[in-house]
Structure formats: structure tokens, C-alpha cells
Amino acid sequence: RKMMSTLNGTTQYSKGAIDKVLPLCDYYICNNKKVKLTNDIKDKIICLHDQLTMQGLRVIAASYKNSNVIKEEQLTFVGLIA
């Protein structure tokens, strides 16, 4: 499946492969604010992911959502972990 989500109180945390997590994200964090995730920003994230993997690093995408149940949609992209 290449992705997993957990529920901690009223926050859902999701992590996994960039090709599984990023399409489910509608927002991202920029300067501590939630901002709409555009295709241009998604392309930049994918480019950064590719640069990291070219260095031989394993990369995981991280995201979250305020929710009482696990629904893997309308997530907020937090960043890449390498």
C-alpha cells in the first residue's frame, strides 16, 4: 500500500511514498500557515523528492488533517523526511 495513517485524538497523521500521499493533499504549510497546494508547488515537491532519492536517500512524505475519523483525503502536506 506504501502509506499508513493513524488517529491521535482529533488529528490524523499520514505518511508514506510521495506518489501515494501528495495526490491526497490539498494544502501545505508555508510560514506556519495552511496554504492551498497548487500543481506548481506539487511539481517543486516532486523535484526535491527526486533530488533526494538521486543521493541514495529514502524519502517519506508526511501530512496531517484535523479529524475524528481516518479519511485519506484533503490532507495538509507537512514535508519530506529523508
Side-chain angles (χ1 to χ4, degrees), residues 17-78:
I18 191 79
D19 61 320
K20 299 297 181 187
V21 175
L22 196 57
L24 302 173
C25 295
D26 292 336
Y27 305 94
Y28 72 107
I29 299 296
C30 182
N31 298 322
N32 292 325
K33 294 182 182 176
K34 193 170 164 179
V35 181
K36 184 74 174 159
L37 187 57
T38 64
N39 286 333
D40 288 341
I41 298 296
K42 284 184 179 183
D43 290 342
K44 289 179 183 180
I45 293 168
I46 291 168
C47 182
L48 177 58
H49 170 270
D50 293 345
Q51 290 173 9
L52 292 169
T53 57
M54 290 296 287
Q55 296 175 32
L57 299 172
R58 289 186 173 193
V59 182
I60 295 174
S63 63
Y64 80 97
K65 174 183 177 178
N66 293 325
S67 178
N68 292 324
V69 295
I70 292 181
K71 281 192 172 181
E72 292 173 339
E73 59 186 24
Q74 297 177 333
L75 302 174
T76 300
F77 178 80
V78 177

